[in-house]
Amino acid sequence: MNEAIRPGLETAKQATALPVLSVVVPTFNERDNVTKLYRKLEAALDGVAWEVVFVDDNSPDDTWDVVRALARQDGRVRCIRRIGRRGLSGACIEGILASSAPYAAVMDADLQHDETQLPKMLSLLQSGQAELVVGSRYIEGGSADSFNRSRAGASALATEVAKRALGVAIADPMSGFFMIRRDRFEQLAPQLSTQGFKILLDIVATAHGDLKTVEVPYTFGSRLHGESKLDSMVALDFLGLVLAKFTHDVVSLRFLLFAMVGGTGLFVHLGTLYVALKLFGLPFPQAQGIGAFVAMTSNFILNNFLTYRDQRLKGFAILGGLLAFYLVCSVGLFANVGVAFSVYDKQPIWWLAGAAGALMGVVWNYAMSGLFVWRKR
Ligand code: GDD
Ligand code: MN
């Protein structure tokens, strides 16, 4: 062993206190729940060397501040306060990677997940019976009665799609409650999506069946305080994950949405052209120019609300973004026409040349918009 990292006598003594289990808890506006969860963990994990890592996205209700207070009293409590970022999956990934315990669990802060299952989950991992243990609502002994009917239906449908499209074999791939062996997680981590909510599905799909998994039943409780952060956009998010995994990360949902928005732009363009020509009697070149202008503007607005919802430009930044978008699209138009011409030159098939040009245009616009308009900060 390298001399520099050989444990000294002191550190060797401390080694007994090193955590075996890291419980990672993503939080957003959970200030009334975190202390209760901490107490419950303390009771449930009696006799286990554990730690809890709260990953808070700078909650407006100052959840992180409550966690800091706990951490000052108990070294097993840790707090990661992330600024300028949102996202459940990313928070979980970051929390797991910020710890070094050989086993990591993920659970909600709101007491919906049954912490008394943790010792059992841990022993399944420690005994080598599993590399991943999932708290499941959908096997004998588990339940999700606290779900309202529409959410229960949506959850069941998503589970079915995931199973069929991705060949995921577990009963509850949407669960937000699981425990995994660190070394296996570290192997998969670089391929996981930091966007979205479905981290477990992502882990299971990315492992392609090569992850010994056991499910334990639990009852999905009612949220203690506050409200669910998962809105209807989770459906979109879910489809994006299925699509990306299904195409081995070739097609992203973002690209698909961007292309669809581009498609709506065509109709906006033609509609505007019609109005400008027929109702206002403008000459064709002007009408065509106005059509393109209106279409680019509506594309920008739709992309800002849908495609780049998570990085939405706000306030003054909208103006800068819009100008950059006009510029990107104008160059994209040249690329489009250029490619169409050169294809038509070799193969005078109008629809082939047109489609090649349009594809070039949308790929260009997408790539450049990601760089210059909705740039990741
Ligand atoms: N850091 C961070 N950032 N945490 C977040 C964010 C975020 O953007 N959004 C939500 N959270 C935290 C919440 O504070 C909570 O502790 C946990 O993530 C889950 O969010 P909830 O709002 O409680 O979701 P839910 O109860 O509707 O859905 C849960 O249960 C489902 C079924 O098991 C989640 O665990 C889902 O992933 C799960 O599918
Ligand atoms: Mn919850």
Side-chain angles (χ1 to χ4, degrees):
M1 190 188 281
N2 183 331
E3 197 63 31
I5 59 168
R6 177 180 293 169
L9 209 61
E10 275 315 299
T11 41
K13 260 193 253 158
Q14 281 172 16
T16 48
L18 291 176
V20 170
L21 173 66
S22 287
V23 181
V24 173
V25 183
T27 57
F28 193 76
N29 285 348
E30 306 282 4
R31 74 172 289 134
D32 296 329
N33 293 324
V34 287
T35 308
K36 289 231 172 53
L37 177 66
Y38 160 72
R39 297 246 161 77
K40 291 212 168 212
L41 288 175
E42 205 175 22
L45 293 171
D46 191 32
V48 176
W50 60 281
E51 66 176 353
V52 57
V53 182
F54 289 95
V55 188
D56 186 68
D57 285 351
N58 201 28
S59 297
D61 78 350
D62 293 353
T63 304
W64 51 271
D65 203 28
V66 181
V67 176
R68 291 267 182 245
L70 287 172
R72 276 195 294 272
Q73 281 159 27
D74 187 339
R76 295 174 299 184
V77 178
R78 295 174 44 205
C79 176
I80 299 177
R81 177 184 174 195
R82 308 198 304 169
I83 310 262
R85 281 191 289 161
R86 274 302 298 277
L88 183 48
S89 291
C92 296
I93 293 170
E94 205 156 318
I96 297 176
L97 295 182
S99 74
S100 301
Y103 305 100
V106 169
M107 65 193 297
D108 282 13
D110 53 15
L111 310 186
Q112 288 190 287
H113 295 149
D114 179 4
E115 77 291 340
T116 63
Q117 301 295 327
L118 291 170
K120 180 162 91 191
M121 295 163 89
L122 181 62
S123 65
L124 283 165
L125 293 180
Q126 283 179 315
S127 67
Q129 281 165 275
E131 296 170 310
L132 168 71
V133 183
V134 177
S136 175
R137 298 160 289 176
Y138 303 133
I139 57 175
E140 189 67 34
S143 73
D145 295 341
S146 70
F147 264 178
N148 60 30
R149 271 187 56 205
S150 67
R151 182 146 177 200
S155 182
L157 180 70
T159 304
E160 206 46 44
V161 171
K163 284 187 193 168
R164 281 170 200 256
L166 303 178
V168 165
I170 60 178
D172 193 0
M174 306 298 151
S175 177
F177 183 33
F178 61 91
M179 196 185 288
I180 188 167
R181 233 171 67 184
R182 153 162 318 277
D183 55 343
R184 296 311 317 274
F185 182 81
E186 302 255 3
Q187 283 166 354
L188 299 169
Q191 282 117 267
L192 300 179
S193 162
T194 55
Q195 248 120 52
F197 308 85
K198 298 300 166 204
I199 182 173
L200 177 66
L201 176 62
D202 199 0
I203 290 174
V204 175
T206 303
H208 293 296
D210 176 35
L211 195 61
K212 217 197 292 173
T213 305
V214 171
E215 291 185 87
V216 297
Y218 83 98
T219 301
F220 189 67
S222 299
R223 166 173 269 279
L224 184 64
H225 294 288
E227 53 193 37
S228 172
K229 310 316 171 296
L230 308 193
D231 58 13
S232 51
M233 285 311 241
V234 288
L236 208 61
D237 179 71
F238 167 74
L239 284 179
L241 184 61
V242 171
L243 193 76
K245 289 296 156 189
F246 192 67
T247 60
H248 291 269
D249 293 309
V250 174
V251 177
S252 69
L253 177 72
R254 229 201 262 288
F255 178 72
L256 206 72
L257 286 173
F258 193 88
M260 272 161 48
V261 167
T264 67
L266 183 65
F267 291 98
V268 173
H269 185 129
L270 292 177
T272 313
L273 186 62
Y274 180 85
V275 170
L277 285 174
K278 305 284 170 188
L279 267 59
F280 290 92
L282 290 180
F284 184 79
Q286 273 94 320
Q288 171 74 355
I290 292 173
F293 198 69
V294 173
M296 281 191 291
T297 311
S298 84
N299 281 5
F300 174 81
I301 293 168
L302 282 174
N303 279 323
N304 199 40
F305 272 99
L306 199 68
T307 318
Y308 288 96
R309 173 175 167 274
D310 54 323
Q311 286 162 246
R312 197 181 300 164
L313 301 174
K314 292 179 188 137
F316 200 62
I318 293 183
L319 202 66
L322 184 61
L323 292 179
F325 191 71
Y326 288 147
L327 213 70
V328 162
C329 293
S330 308
V331 180
L333 186 65
F334 278 106
N336 176 337
V337 174
V339 166
F341 266 138
S342 72
V343 170
Y344 196 80
D345 213 31
K346 295 196 185 70
Q347 286 286 343
I349 309 171
W350 65 269
W351 58 265
L352 186 70
L359 187 66
M360 177 65 213
V362 69
V363 169
W364 166 274
N365 286 352
Y366 178 68
M368 293 303 131
S369 292
L371 277 179
F372 297 113
V373 185
W374 291 277
R375 194 193 191 114
K376 262 214 130 88
R377 279 142 299 172

